[in-house]
Amino acid sequence: MSRCKLLVLSTVLCLAVIILSSCSSPGSSVGASAEKPSVLTKEQKSQLISKLKVDFITRYPNDEGLVRIFGSLTNGTDRNLISATIVASDVRTKGKNIVFGKCTINDVKPGETREFEIPTGFGLDEVGDKSTLTVIDAKFD
């Protein structure tokens, strides 16, 4: 190989290394918000979670007769919702509630609504006509 070709090749390799190392540096802002949620106080997090609207839409049996609960989550905050964990339980009564199942919804922009399904493992007679849906945890940008 000629000297000129070696010089060009080494220059291209050096540039590639510099570009790749700058993309994956710890201070890089590319994709940083998706990896690390904002640090919030308990009160701030509670206030944001209270602005997440969860609606029960319906429930229906799958092919095996086990109920799937269908609902929606609306992000009523001004922050991107990284993830929210939703629990489906029986309608609140005296004593303890039966938890039917839970799911996690990811990446919901402010004002956006996302539908979800929660598989329960219970039959129609065990679930009843309506379930209570509750956000038990959430992470925000």
Side-chain angles (χ1 to χ4, degrees), residues 13-34:
L13 287 174
C14 285
L15 285 173
V17 168
I18 291 169
I19 290 170
L20 289 175
S21 65
S22 69
C23 289
S24 61
S25 68
S28 176
S29 64
V30 178
S33 63

Side-chain angles (χ1 to χ4, degrees), residues 93-125:
T93 58
K94 289 182 182 178
K96 63 179 183 178
N97 289 343
I98 297 171
V99 174
F100 297 128
K102 67 180 179 177
C103 72
T104 301
I105 301 172
N106 297 310
D107 193 29
V108 183
K109 308 273 186 267
E112 185 177 75
T113 298
R114 181 85 45 85
E115 294 178 344
F116 59 86
E117 288 184 325
I118 300 176
T120 67
F122 292 89
L124 278 174
D125 56 332

Side-chain angles (χ1 to χ4, degrees), residues 17-95:
V17 168
I18 291 169
I19 290 170
L20 289 175
S21 65
S22 69
C23 289
S24 61
S25 68
S28 176
S29 64
V30 178
S33 63
E35 294 174 14
K36 284 199 168 193
S38 292
V39 177
L40 302 169
T41 66
K42 229 177 190 179
E43 184 178 305
Q44 290 170 323
K45 187 174 182 178
S46 179
Q47 287 176 347
L48 288 171
I49 288 175
S50 72
K51 293 180 182 181
L52 299 175
K53 184 179 178 204
V54 185
D55 292 314
F56 172 85
I57 297 173
T58 191
R59 52 107 172 109
Y60 60 91
N62 65 10
D63 295 339
E64 291 95 31
L66 300 175
V67 172
R68 295 181 75 81
I69 296 172
F70 187 60
S72 68
L73 170 84
T74 302
N75 183 356
T77 72
D78 60 352
R79 293 175 175 248
N80 186 48
L81 177 64
I82 296 172
S83 68
T85 303
I86 300 170
V87 170
S89 60
D90 61 342
V91 177
R92 296 183 189 271
T93 58
K94 289 182 182 178

